[in-house]
Structures are given as C-alpha cells and as structure tokens.
Amino acid sequence: MRIFTKLSAPLSLLFLFLCLKTAFSSSIHASSFSTTHLCSHGEALALLQFKTSFSINYTFPNSDYCVDLFYTKPIYSKIESWKEGIDYCSWDGVSCDNVTGHVIALNLRCSFLYGTFPSNSTLFFLRNLQSLNLAFNDFRLSKIPPEISQLTRLKHLDISSSGFSGQVPVEIAHLPKLVSLNLSNYFISSDLILETTTLRNLV
C-alpha cells in the first residue's frame, strides 16, 4: 500500500434506509431494475445531503494551491454543479459505474469545502465507493470519523491538506481493499497522529 504522509435530512435518510434494505434483499433474490434505480436515487440524495454539510470558502489557508499560477482556469467548487433534476453521474467530481449507476469515485480535491466534517456524514452511505479524494479543503480540525470503515470497497483515499486533525482512526487500517492512502499535510495548524499499531496494520 502507498501511504502519503436543500433536501430535508429525514427524507434523505428514508431513501437511504430503503436503498440499504433493498440491497440486502437483492443479495438473496435476483436483482431488478427497480432495485438499482432506488439505490441510485438514494446515492444522489446522499450526495446532496453531504453538500449541505459545508459552506464554500475560497479564502481558507492554502487555497492558493488550488489556483493555477496564471489564473487561466475559473475558480469554483465542484459541488456547485450538484443540483436536483440533473443526472448525478454528470456532476463534477462524481464518477459512476456504467452498468449499475452506483457512485464509485468521488474527487472533491480543491472544492473549497469549509466546515466541520460530521461523523454521521451521508458520504458513508456510498458503499460502492472505490476512490475518495477530499484533499485541499478545510474541515476545521475535524476528527477523521471511524465510520469511514463502512466504505469497505475503498481502494484509494486522499485526505491530504484537508484540515483533519487528531488521531488517525484504526478503522482505516481495516479497510480490506485499500491500496493507497495520502495523509500529507500543508496546514500548519492541523496535525494528524498515526499510531505505530495503525501503521503496522496498514502496511
């Protein structure tokens, strides 16, 4: 492994619960179009709910890393394209499986997300996620939620310079398919602590 040092919540959670319940049922019975459709809709709701967890701040520390030298590219947050009525697989930063429609990759690097990262984030409902990049955002010295262990298909995780602090949860070491992890940090005020036992389990 490479290691580098406005939807209402009840409505969203209802769809997500139905999705997970249906997914368990489909593991016993043959899958159907309705199952895939329901779960896909649940993932869209999860992303929209995740979006509401943060504000957008273009002036946080080290945001200059997200701007090209000559300002030839527009400065914007990828989540600004996340809107109801638009296919979520076409949203910036979102990649889906061509067959199932499940979200398999989320690249929110330099999306200028600002705010505390919730431990009950709906991001953890994206159980088919294989790649997650949250680098260069500002999560205000949040702790990395142990609930990240729910993303059991995750292969690539980049949370570098994203304002996380404190102990790296041992649950990250228990992600069975993880092959690359970037914890490097350019924020002076935020430090991640990686215990030897966690590191040993990672490698």
Side-chain angles (χ1 to χ4, degrees), residues 1-200:
M1 178 192 298
R2 292 179 297 165
I3 303 175
F4 307 90
T5 297
K6 267 305 201 176
L7 288 173
S8 64
L11 178 61
S12 299
L13 294 176
L14 173 62
F15 273 103
L16 291 169
F17 170 77
L18 289 173
C19 171
L20 292 175
K21 182 178 180 181
T22 308
F24 281 120
S25 176
S26 65
S27 66
I28 301 175
H29 302 88
S31 61
S32 64
F33 171 78
S34 59
T35 299
T36 300
H37 177 74
L38 177 60
C39 289
S40 298
H41 187 55
E43 291 180 348
L45 289 172
L47 289 171
L48 288 171
Q49 189 65 42
F50 175 77
K51 174 183 177 181
T52 65
S53 302
F54 306 100
S55 59
I56 298 174
N57 182 0
Y58 293 108
T59 60
F60 68 82
N62 290 328
S63 60
D64 288 344
Y65 284 96
C66 298
V67 180
D68 67 295
L69 183 61
F70 300 102
Y71 292 87
T72 57
K73 298 179 181 179
I75 302 174
Y76 79 105
S77 173
K78 294 176 182 178
I79 65 172
E80 290 181 352
S81 70
W82 296 11
K83 299 177 181 179
E84 291 184 80
I86 300 176
D87 180 12
Y88 65 94
C89 291
S90 68
W91 294 348
D92 287 346
V94 178
S95 299
C96 298
D97 184 277
N98 292 330
V99 177
T100 66
H102 289 307
V103 178
I104 58 174
L106 197 59
N107 183 0
L108 295 180
R109 179 184 175 89
C110 289
S111 287
F112 304 96
L113 302 182
Y114 183 84
T116 302
F117 199 99
S119 60
N120 62 345
S121 174
T122 53
L123 191 69
F124 302 134
F125 283 96
L126 304 178
R127 301 298 174 82
N128 294 279
L129 204 60
Q130 299 176 24
S131 178
L132 176 61
N133 189 337
L134 297 174
F136 288 100
N137 291 287
D138 189 355
F139 296 128
R140 307 296 295 148
L141 304 180
S142 299
K143 308 300 181 185
I144 301 173
E147 288 79 5
I148 197 170
S149 63
Q150 297 174 24
L151 302 178
T152 56
R153 299 187 180 184
L154 201 62
K155 298 179 180 178
H156 307 283
L157 176 60
D158 188 344
I159 52 176
S160 59
S161 300
S162 52
F164 282 115
S165 66
Q167 181 70 49
V168 176
V170 68
E171 284 80 3
I172 283 185
H174 297 157
L175 291 170
K177 297 187 177 181
L178 194 66
V179 295
S180 68
L181 173 64
N182 192 343
L183 300 173
S184 58
N185 180 38
Y186 294 95
F187 285 101
I188 297 176
S189 59
S190 62
D191 290 313
L192 286 171
I193 303 170
L194 185 61
E195 293 289 347
T196 303
T197 53
T198 303
L199 180 61
R200 186 181 301 116

